[in-house]
Amino acid sequence: MAQDVLCEVANCVYNKEGERCGASQIFVVSHKGKEADNSRETDCKTFEPSGL
């Protein structure tokens, strides 16, 4: 399991110092069902706006 999850989305409530994700879980989904051919076909459903 990944120890460090990096995130460059500055307005996510889980984005911590050093662009580290502070969420207890990460949920990534595919635009194509259960498979993806590249990263452009995925999204992080854990994202929550921080109100910056």
Side-chain angles (χ1 to χ4, degrees):
M1 183 178 288
Q3 297 297 312
D4 288 314
V5 176
L6 303 178
C7 178
E8 62 182 24
V9 182
N11 68 322
C12 183
V13 70
Y14 299 112
N15 192 319
K16 304 299 180 199
E17 186 177 336
E19 296 185 339
R20 303 268 190 242
C21 181
S24 60
Q25 293 183 339
I26 308 299
F27 182 35
V28 178
V29 297
S30 169
H31 299 244
K32 297 175 65 178
K34 297 287 184 183
E35 296 183 10
D37 294 321
N38 56 60
S39 62
R40 293 182 310 269
E41 296 177 352
T42 63
D43 286 310
C44 177
K45 294 289 274 187
T46 308
F47 170 80
E48 288 187 36
S50 66
L52 286 180

